[in-house]
């Protein structure tokens, strides 16, 4: 692992499927950890995209609405100002839950949209 270039290690880290795998991987060797230390934001944002898929902003807004580290204040985000990756491990777990909810809504509305389009354009 120590012989791999930093760009290749970065590329490998950005394709990891979830945060548990990411954090396990950065503990494997010092060279991998050093690459992660140099580029944590882009790597965490890429893994977040791998976890959630195309509804990242919506799921992040929902997870930020439900989670607060101090429990006395809830930060409300809309899609425009939602962060691109979770700030804490607990928020990452909640992001997975929120991603499932957002994806199910997306699928529901997509089905309705497709059904409406079929009725509009394909009726004889």
């Amino acid at each position: 692992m120590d012989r791999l270039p930093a760009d290749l290690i970065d590329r490998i880290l950005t394709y990891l499927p979830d945060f548990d795998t990411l954090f396990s991987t950065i503990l494997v060797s010092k060279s991998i950890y050093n690459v992660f230390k140099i580029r944590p934001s882009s790597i965490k944002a890429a893994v977040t995209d791998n976890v959630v898929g195309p509804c990242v902003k919506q799921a992040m807004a929902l997870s930020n609405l439900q989670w607060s580290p101090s429990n006395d204040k809830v930060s409300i985000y809309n899609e425009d100002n939602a962060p691109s990756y979770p700030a804490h491990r607990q928020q990452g777990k909640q992001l997975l839950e929120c991603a499932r909810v957002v994806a199910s809504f997306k699928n529901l509305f997509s089905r309705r949209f497709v059904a409406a389009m079929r009725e509009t354009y394909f009726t004889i």
Side-chain angles (χ1 to χ4, degrees), residues 13-50:
L13 293 176
T14 60
Y15 279 100
L16 294 176
D18 56 44
F19 296 108
D20 290 334
T21 306
L22 172 65
F23 291 115
S24 297
T25 305
I26 63 174
L27 297 175
V28 168
S29 80
K30 193 170 184 174
S31 62
I32 293 174
Y33 177 72
N34 288 336
V35 170
F36 178 76
K37 264 180 31 181
I38 294 168
R39 304 170 181 160
S41 297
S42 64
I43 292 170
K44 287 192 274 185
V47 172
T48 301
D49 192 48
N50 297 342

Side-chain angles (χ1 to χ4, degrees), residues 53-96:
C55 52
V56 171
K57 290 292 186 182
Q58 295 89 351
M60 282 300 298
L62 186 59
S63 72
N64 279 307
L65 177 70
Q66 294 179 349
W67 183 79
S68 174
S70 62
N71 290 327
D72 62 347
K73 180 181 172 189
V74 175
S75 300
I76 298 175
Y77 294 93
N78 60 31
E79 293 174 30
D80 297 330
N81 65 357
S84 57
Y85 58 88
H88 304 281
R89 198 165 221 182
Q90 180 64 28
Q91 189 180 23
K93 289 179 182 181
Q94 284 188 327
L95 176 65
L96 286 173

Side-chain angles (χ1 to χ4, degrees), residues 92-108:
K93 289 179 182 181
Q94 284 188 327
L95 176 65
L96 286 173
E97 304 266 332
C98 294
R100 291 183 190 116
V101 171
V102 170
S104 66
F105 279 124
K106 180 179 169 244
N107 290 337
L108 173 70

